[in-house]
Amino acid sequence: MKIHKSADRPSKLANSEWFTGRVWQEPIIEAEEPARVRALRVSFEPGARTAWHTHPLGQTLYILSGIGLIALRDQMPQKILAGDTVWIPPHEEHWHGACPTNAMIHIAIQEALHGSVADWLEQVSEEDYHKYK
């Protein structure tokens, strides 16, 4: 057994190559092999979002608070709210983040395949982001 102390896992601003706006990440767990689970708490300020991306083994999002948006390639964004759980299958191109007027916090859970949990693509355009209206 290993206890991971919160003081050893500081919050950090997300990489601007993969996110638009201010996004804070707080690691929950990055299990040692042979386990593959990775989880983090992600806080999106209003209007902040991920770039388009996929996950080799899929991803689960559990919305903790706020109002978020999630979209698949060539589909309208959908609202996600506190208490919602979203399953994104492997290799499905998608993005997620906060709506323009409200912050959103979720827990992201995914598994690593050959050390990778995500394949990052291009940034989400303003046009694609605002399609939910």
Side-chain angles (χ1 to χ4, degrees):
M1 178 173 75
K2 182 175 183 180
I3 297 173
H4 298 270
K5 298 291 190 176
S6 61
D8 297 333
R9 296 176 284 124
S11 301
K12 66 177 185 173
L13 274 173
N15 186 327
S16 62
E17 290 182 46
W18 304 325
F19 293 85
T20 298
R22 287 176 58 89
V23 178
W24 288 93
Q25 296 177 321
E26 298 174 19
I28 295 172
I29 188 68
E30 189 168 317
E32 297 175 17
E33 290 188 9
R36 302 188 289 198
V37 70
R38 308 288 190 268
L40 49 142
R41 182 179 187 267
V42 187
S43 302
F44 296 85
E45 292 185 5
R49 58 197 178 266
T50 69
W52 288 102
H53 62 287
T54 64
H55 299 277
L57 297 174
Q59 181 184 50
T60 299
L61 303 177
Y62 178 73
I63 315 311
L64 294 172
S65 66
I67 302 171
L69 298 171
I70 187 165
L72 301 178
R73 186 71 77 173
D74 299 321
Q75 292 188 13
M76 298 287 288
Q78 298 180 55
K79 280 189 180 178
I80 46 178
L81 304 171
D84 290 351
T85 300
V86 181
W87 163 246
I88 301 114
H91 309 294
E92 194 162 64
E93 291 185 12
H94 68 286
W95 64 266
H96 40 94
C99 75
T101 57
N102 295 77
M104 188 268 292
I105 300 172
H106 67 48
I107 293 177
I109 306 162
Q110 50 271 323
E111 291 182 281
L113 181 63
H114 308 299
S116 175
V117 296
D119 294 309
W120 292 99
L121 306 168
E122 78 276 9
Q123 294 286 349
V124 174
S125 70
E126 290 297 315
E127 179 183 340
D128 282 345
Y129 177 71
H130 289 286
K131 281 183 182 177
Y132 79 96
K133 294 181 180 180

